[in-house]
Amino acid sequence: MSRPISIVTGAGRGIGRGIAIELAKLGHAVVINYAGNFAAADECLKLVREAGGEGITIRADVASAEDRARLVTDTLTAFGRIDLLVNNAGVAPNVRADILDAGEESFDRLININLKGPYFLTQAVANQMIEQVKSGATPFGLPQIVTITSISAYTASVNRGDYCVAKAGLAMMTSLFAARLAEFGIKVFEVRPGVIATDMTEGVKEKYDKLIAEGAWPIRRWGLPEDIGRAVAAIARNDFPFSTGEVFNIDGGFHLRTL
Ligand code: NAP
């Protein structure tokens, strides 16, 4: 395949779709992974093609070991290589509950989808990438891995502790794989979004509209999937050749401490 090959998990809608479109603008072939919403994934594929890319859709639950293995093998069957993995798929808690009450069921679901899934998908893809590097199958440069975390990696929201713990874990996952894969030239990055307008935040739109108006972060607007997509595209273009394990805050300046 004479294009870079990317897997974007959870690419049917929201941030993942924004990433897929920006990668398509760079000419990538994008594997559009989704959990169940085929119509959204198919629409994303159409947009990817319109943007100059190519792609396929693959339904796979990142929380399932079997599905993760199939995602990798189906990608290799279709394109023969993986140049970029973007761990984006993630869910919010079904119900926001105080950490003094929240149950194990919500915790297990969140950790399985948001942390264990990307952790072992990264492991599987990293081993594939190492083989590619060893065999010289790197026509578009050395492979890279990007994980989409959240300001929740360091911001304590006591009504969704499971989500915060999962995102904090993903931040460490990035450090771990960056350290382990550097000897192979495989670079690993974290993109840390602030509040982004997607289905995930639709239910709390009014709350965030108010917070934005009050200046909860310096750049007073909602983040857009395209904002995250452009950050991932910069990494995909290899614009950071002497960096790995780096965190990119795409949050309107939320992380700044001001006095
Ligand atoms: P979204 O609009 O709810 O879209 C989620 C996407 O992930 C969908 O494509 C969904 O597939 C897919 N997905 C869900 N569970 C999956 C699973 N088990 N296996 C595979 N795919 C799965 O969410 P979003 O706002 O774009 O969020 C994307 C990522 O950014 C998440 O990791 C989220 O935590 C993170 N994030 C979001 C915000 C925000 O403000 N929106 C801020 C910081 C970080 P289907 O379409 O098939 O359901």
Side-chain angles (χ1 to χ4, degrees):
M1 168 52 82
S2 58
R3 296 173 179 270
I5 316 300
S6 295
I7 297 177
V8 182
T9 66
R13 298 179 281 129
I15 291 173
R17 180 186 285 195
I19 294 168
I21 291 169
E22 294 304 316
L23 292 174
K25 289 181 188 170
L26 299 180
H28 282 225
V30 185
V31 174
I32 299 160
N33 160 247
Y34 66 103
N37 189 336
F38 174 71
D42 201 40
E43 172 69 16
C44 180
L45 178 57
K46 198 174 127 242
L47 295 170
V48 158
R49 288 185 173 138
E50 282 170 11
E54 194 32 81
I56 54 171
T57 60
I58 299 181
R59 195 209 62 73
D61 176 358
V62 295
S64 152
E66 206 177 296
D67 283 15
R68 287 192 300 271
R70 184 170 46 75
L71 177 59
V72 173
T73 52
D74 285 2
T75 299
L76 294 175
T77 302
F79 298 122
R81 209 178 59 242
I82 305 166
D83 297 306
L84 175 70
L85 167 66
V86 184
N87 290 305
N88 164 78
V91 291
N94 282 332
V95 181
R96 291 187 173 197
D98 188 307
I99 50 169
L100 294 178
D101 304 317
E104 290 192 30
E105 204 179 307
S106 175
F107 189 91
D108 288 345
R109 169 178 173 266
L110 256 291
I111 295 297
N112 280 335
I113 298 173
N114 289 10
L115 181 58
K116 185 178 168 187
Y119 189 94
F120 285 102
L121 182 60
T122 299
Q123 181 192 67
V125 171
N127 279 306
Q128 165 63 26
M129 287 175 167
I130 290 168
E131 289 310 310
Q132 292 171 197
V133 171
K134 284 182 175 167
S135 67
T138 54
F140 294 94
L142 292 164
Q144 303 191 97
I145 297 170
V146 180
T147 297
I148 309 302
T149 65
S150 169
I151 52 175
S152 298
Y154 64 88
T155 304
S157 298
V158 296
N159 62 354
R160 48 196 162 105
D162 36 24
Y163 185 82
C164 295
V165 166
K167 293 299 183 182
L170 284 183
M172 175 50 78
M173 179 187 96
T174 299
S175 298
L176 287 165
F177 279 100
R180 184 65 183 87
L181 298 178
E183 69 179 274
F184 304 102
I186 299 167
K187 295 190 293 300
V188 183
F189 297 97
E190 175 185 348
V191 171
R192 193 175 276 180
V195 176
I196 311 295
T198 69
D199 292 345
M200 187 180 276
T201 46
E202 184 58 33
V204 281
K205 186 173 179 310
E206 267 179 41
K207 173 188 162 181
Y208 285 125
D209 280 343
K210 189 166 174 290
L211 282 174
I212 291 168
E214 290 166 359
W217 47 91
I219 302 176
R220 294 189 182 195
R221 68 164 173 88
W222 281 82
L224 301 172
E226 182 192 338
D227 293 317
I228 309 304
R230 288 171 65 176
V232 174
I235 294 168
R237 276 199 310 265
N238 199 19
D239 280 354
F240 306 97
F242 195 49
S243 302
T244 193
E246 196 54 72
V247 181
F248 294 86
N249 291 290
I250 313 293
D251 62 356
F254 177 87
H255 67 284
L256 294 169
R257 287 170 193 238
T258 55
L259 199 58

